Amino acid sequence: MNLKTQVGIIGAGPAGLLLSRILHNHGIENIILENRNESYLRQRLRAGVMEQGTVETFMEAGVGEKLAKGKMVHEGIYIHAKGIQNRLDVKELSGGKEVTVYGQKNITNDMIDHAQKDEIQIVWEAKAQRLEHIDDDGESAIIHYSLHGKMYTLECDFIAGCDGFHGISRPSLPITQKNIYSYEFPYSWYGILAEAPPIAHEVIYAHHPDGFALQSMRGPELSRLYIQCPNGTDPGAYEDEWLWDELDKRLGVTNNRGNIISKGVAPMRSFVCDVMQHGKLFIAGDAAHIVPPTGAKGMNLAVADVKVLSKGLIHHYKDKDDDILNRYTEICLRRIWKVERFSWWVTTTFHVDENQDEFTTKMQEATISYMLDSQIGGQSFAENYVGLPILWNEKK
Ligand code: RFL
Ligand code: PHB
């Protein structure tokens, strides 16, 4: 079907769904085109930790009733290093802020439910193939998309490219290699979801000679655990027994063991595209940047972009004011680079490279003890962990 709307959104991940909801709340028409089918989106397991500002954004957008009931609030984290279990009081160190554990899968389902209740159009299995008239040429922008083997168009005033790292929006911008900053880490994460009560009520980050490990959760009866593994590891590579023993050793706890219902391997990459807009096209979330998962920032960054983009579009339609839209890339990047730095720093502090020399290990241990022993070291971690503010004003 050929369609027409005000804002055409590509992708129904957290970025696309949230943008759609906020625009809808302000009377701005939008349609989402999503490549995958609905059940795939509803099952996809990913992020877990939300910054305070992310939770507030979902609440303000009116999709937070289940989040308010099901959320697990964390006031601190555990750091297991040199055989000792330490706790960092993030709430105290950040002046009263906290983070929340609530699965990306759950908030995705909540947003899809709301969209369907309010008859916001999500076209499933619709793959955007080509964008036309994205320049300021006085024409409507057009997304050419395929659906069940046929090509159609979505005509719109603006295109929001929320189509993740492998989407078509970023490559449709007039960018060159010079606009791309990328780093591949020499290790990956092996993640499991297990039907077992998490042993610690807050997240444990472990620095261990055999590699990083993390204990998190998705509910009172569901543990989410990760260990560092070599790049290219097969998800079937590790036996359950070996995994539990390795997790216990690295995390310094005796985990509750239960049925492992999911195993997956995630590579680790840092990536920034420093152009996030051109004419009528704006990109947001993983389409524009990737962080390694240590520090839990990917979805939070996507939400921050959407806060800026939605405000810019609301000002455009309601006040004919394009100041924020014009400065979209600049406002977002100011925060993105700091979050990239934090994610890279936590990753390189806690992971052990195969060929790591002893000096590097000592530097990692000193970084961790600085976080634990120094008020300012702890505050610096906590300020980033609970979420940095968006700076709206022009750079002085
Ligand atoms: P998404 O979620 O990738 O959604 C993009 C959507 O676009 C669709 N798409 C297209 N649709 C139509 N036409 C096309 N041509 C299309 N091309 C793509 C895709 O099907 C998809 O549905 O991007 P978005 O919305 O920007 O959201 C980003 C987050 O999903 C991501 O950053 C986080 O999951 C990262 N992440 C974490 N983030 C956190 O904030 N906290 C965490 O605790 C956290 N833990 C994690 C993570 C990511 C992980 N993995 C698997 C990489 C833990 C892991 C293991
Ligand atoms: C998660 O729960 O998936 C998680 C928690 C903390 C992180 C990354 C991921 O740093």
Side-chain angles (χ1 to χ4, degrees), residues 127-378:
K127 182 168 189 175
Q129 302 278 6
R130 186 167 66 85
L131 309 182
E132 199 184 352
H133 295 305
I134 61 166
D135 289 308
D136 290 318
D137 56 4
E139 306 270 345
S140 294
I142 299 176
I143 307 172
H144 294 267
Y145 70 97
S146 55
L147 177 68
H148 306 147
K150 287 200 176 136
M151 288 301 300
Y152 300 97
T153 56
L154 168 58
E155 212 182 307
C156 46
D157 303 338
F158 294 101
I159 299 173
C162 303
D163 45 356
F165 186 64
H166 300 289
I168 64 147
S169 301
R170 186 181 65 256
S172 306
L173 290 167
I175 51 171
T176 67
Q177 261 325 99
K178 284 195 183 144
N179 301 109
I180 302 294
Y181 301 81
S182 169
Y183 180 74
E184 309 264 340
F185 292 85
Y187 30 71
S188 301
W189 272 16
Y190 192 101
I192 63 167
L193 186 69
E195 289 171 326
I199 190 71
H201 73 289
E202 290 169 336
V203 172
I204 310 176
Y205 290 86
H207 181 256
H208 190 277
D210 296 337
F212 173 74
L214 175 84
Q215 185 244 220
S216 184
M217 62 215 64
R218 289 294 179 274
E221 303 295 326
L222 267 184
S223 293
R224 181 78 170 130
L225 298 137
Y226 304 91
I227 53 165
Q228 177 185 337
C229 65
N231 284 343
T233 301
D234 188 274
Y238 299 141
E239 296 294 332
D240 296 6
E241 230 22 55
W242 181 87
L243 271 170
W244 287 118
D245 290 347
E246 200 63 20
L247 283 161
D248 285 357
K249 179 182 73 184
R250 297 191 196 179
L251 291 164
V253 292
T254 306
N255 284 289
N256 294 311
R257 300 187 177 194
N259 186 26
I260 299 179
I261 49 179
S262 158
K263 288 181 174 177
V265 175
M268 319 250 286
R269 177 190 285 129
S270 295
F271 178 96
V272 177
C273 173
D274 74 359
V275 175
M276 294 174 65
Q277 66 191 103
H278 177 78
K280 298 162 219 144
L281 172 63
F282 295 81
I283 61 171
D286 278 14
H289 39 71
I290 297 285
V291 286
T294 341
K297 291 296 172 197
M299 181 171 63
N300 292 298
L301 265 184
V303 168
D305 291 350
V306 166
K307 272 171 97 162
V308 180
L309 183 53
S310 57
K311 193 161 172 169
L313 289 167
I314 293 162
H315 285 197
H316 170 85
Y317 282 110
K318 304 289 165 201
D319 311 319
K320 296 193 169 44
D321 175 358
D322 283 344
D323 174 54
I324 289 181
L325 274 191
N326 291 338
R327 293 190 297 114
Y328 171 69
T329 299
E330 177 210 312
I331 297 170
C332 291
L333 278 180
R334 223 168 142 187
R335 187 174 186 281
I336 288 164
W337 278 119
K338 294 188 192 97
V339 180
E340 288 282 345
R341 183 207 70 87
F342 177 71
S343 306
W344 160 85
W345 174 74
V346 186
T347 300
T348 51
T349 298
F350 279 89
H351 289 72
V352 179
D353 194 346
E354 254 178 74
N355 307 312
Q356 184 162 307
D357 55 38
E358 279 179 35
F359 182 78
T360 304
T361 305
K362 288 287 174 205
M363 290 301 98
Q364 292 179 328
E365 288 172 1
T367 304
I368 293 169
S369 68
Y370 180 61
M371 265 165 71
L372 294 168
D373 298 342
S374 150
Q375 175 82 2
I376 292 175

Side-chain angles (χ1 to χ4, degrees), residues 99-113:
V99 299
T100 288
V101 173
Y102 186 75
Q104 177 170 335
K105 180 176 138 183
N106 302 53
I107 195 70
T108 299
N109 277 286
D110 299 346
M111 287 194 284
I112 295 173
D113 290 344

Side-chain angles (χ1 to χ4, degrees), residues 14-35:
L17 287 166
L18 178 64
L19 178 66
S20 163
R21 161 60 39 188
I22 297 175
L23 296 180
H24 173 85
N25 291 345
H26 287 83
I28 300 168
E29 271 177 42
N30 64 85
I31 293 176
I32 306 180
L33 302 177
E34 168 56 52
N35 183 19

